[in-house]
Amino acid sequence: MDDNVVGRVVSRRRLLAAGAAGLATPVAVAAANRASAATGATRRITLYAEALPGGRFGYGLAPGEATVPGPVLEMWEGDTLEITLVNRTDQRLSIHPHGVDYSTDSDGSPLNASFNAPGETRTYVWRSHEMIATEGRRFLPGSAGYWHYHDHAMGTDHGTAGLAKGLYGALVVRRRGDMLPEKQFTVVFNDMMINNRMAPDTPMFEANLGQRVEWIAIGHGGTFHTFHLHAHRWADNRTGMLEGPADPSQIIDNKDLNPGSSFGFQVLAGQGVGPGAWMYHCHVQFHSDGGMAGLFLVRNADGSMPPGAEEAIHRFHGHAQHHDEGVQG
């Protein structure tokens, strides 16, 4: 099974509130969100950092399940996530989050002596909060957003080696009323690679026509990129969806994705364009030519293969591999 599919399936089963992942209507989703926020739930999970073939490293929710990217971690605003990180490698490493609240001992940086020595187990605590009203009819923002987590200790005090080798993953904090997707994909542009791979070995994500699909895009490394998804578009705001007819958010299909940045959005697969093999890629031209491209296969509503899709996939797998094969790791 594809690394990204494994991470998505496992994380949604284990990390969302019981039963929430299967809810089908906005009303039900909103009710589940309210219940979760009211309790300020604390979820406890264990992550395992492991070495992978080809010199890569990854995070997983059980021994032997490490992937690149790691599993998607999810919270509702107001929740706390306690992560017990088990270092099953011979390297110093950690886990550092973006977008949530934490104390210095959960920072994940050697600066604060917050890391796992080789073979060590350590617990990190991440908190989230809702939007807070303050004076002057102003509001302090809540934690909701499409964030990410990564190593901050391998190789250097900034985790440069860990990031290069695959120690990263998506972190989603949802607000009450947010829609839950049926499919969820994580795309990480890491220097000249996508999820530490290059075309034609980049992930092919799949959905059926009309399914609600959530994309989480993350940037790492030292190279600037853009993320483009063929034939689909989204609102440039927190969720990718318009909040009403007067919502001024720009509708886009291409967005900067630079080191340390992240964003997410939801689309209906094939809406207005139909099924087919659609490309996602970096729109810096020599980056896409060099292997920064992948496929989003939208099947027919019944799951069958649409006309022309198999041929398009075969053409993609014939991508000229003029890049350095050793970089794929």
Side-chain angles (χ1 to χ4, degrees), residues 4-328:
N4 300 280
V5 174
V6 171
R8 172 181 54 78
V9 171
V10 173
S11 65
R12 292 193 66 75
R13 285 176 180 170
R14 297 185 186 179
L15 299 180
L16 281 178
L23 296 172
T25 68
V27 172
V29 170
N33 284 344
R34 284 194 297 272
S36 178
T39 59
T42 296
R43 297 188 178 87
R44 297 173 178 87
I45 65 168
T46 301
L47 276 183
Y48 298 83
E50 299 179 311
L52 296 170
R56 299 189 302 162
F57 289 81
Y59 298 108
L61 289 166
E65 291 187 4
T67 57
V68 178
V72 179
L73 306 183
E74 301 196 31
M75 307 166 66
W76 304 113
E77 277 188 328
D79 283 0
T80 296
L81 192 59
E82 293 185 4
I83 302 170
T84 299
L85 178 63
V86 181
N87 184 0
R88 291 166 56 88
T89 80
D90 60 0
Q91 303 288 314
R92 182 184 77 171
L93 53 80
S94 70
I95 185 169
H96 168 76
H98 286 227
V100 291
D101 305 324
Y102 49 89
S103 58
T104 54
D105 60 0
S106 292
D107 182 38
S109 72
L111 170 69
N112 284 307
S114 175
F115 59 85
N116 292 56
E120 183 182 9
T121 295
R122 182 186 184 94
T123 297
Y124 299 78
V125 180
W126 302 345
R127 304 180 306 276
S128 64
H129 63 270
E130 294 185 333
M131 184 182 300
I132 302 170
T134 186
E135 66 276 4
R137 296 197 304 176
R138 301 185 189 281
F139 294 85
L140 298 177
S143 304
Y146 291 99
W147 308 103
H148 58 108
Y149 65 89
H150 58 84
D151 169 58
H152 212 301
M154 183 184 289
T156 73
D157 286 350
H158 302 289
T160 301
L163 285 168
K165 295 179 179 182
L167 283 172
Y168 50 71
L171 170 63
V172 181
V173 182
R174 301 194 188 276
R175 182 172 296 164
R176 290 177 289 175
D178 284 354
M179 294 288 293
L180 292 175
E182 298 172 83
K183 294 271 189 171
Q184 189 178 57
F185 308 138
T186 303
V187 178
V188 181
F189 284 5
N190 192 8
D191 281 333
M192 292 294 288
M193 298 178 288
I194 299 176
N195 295 4
N196 274 47
R197 298 186 180 275
M198 302 176 81
D201 299 319
T202 46
M204 182 172 76
F205 301 112
E206 298 187 27
N208 293 348
L209 182 67
Q211 284 190 305
R212 180 171 292 279
V213 175
E214 181 171 72
W215 293 79
I216 308 165
I218 301 166
H220 281 310
T223 306
F224 296 95
H225 301 291
T226 63
F227 174 87
H228 175 50
L229 177 61
H230 282 206
H232 297 77
R233 63 217 59 81
W234 64 93
D236 189 16
N237 56 24
R238 183 181 65 83
T239 65
M241 294 181 287
L242 294 174
E243 296 185 356
D247 189 328
S249 301
Q250 182 181 3
I251 306 303
I252 60 174
D253 66 0
N254 189 82
K255 185 170 181 175
D256 288 355
L257 184 58
N258 298 319
S261 68
S262 60
F263 61 86
F265 59 89
Q266 295 183 11
V267 295
L268 298 180
Q271 182 183 30
V273 295
W278 303 106
M279 192 180 300
Y280 68 90
H281 62 92
C282 178
H283 221 299
V284 179
Q285 293 302 109
F286 79 90
H287 291 183
S288 51
D289 286 341
M292 292 195 72
L295 291 180
F296 175 33
L297 174 61
V298 179
R299 293 178 175 269
N300 293 321
D302 63 2
S304 60
M305 187 70 76
E310 286 281 8
E311 293 82 356
I313 293 169
H314 289 315
R315 284 191 288 271
F316 178 81
H317 283 282
H319 189 285
Q321 299 186 54
H322 57 272
H323 52 78
D324 182 1
E325 293 286 343
V327 174
Q328 294 184 41

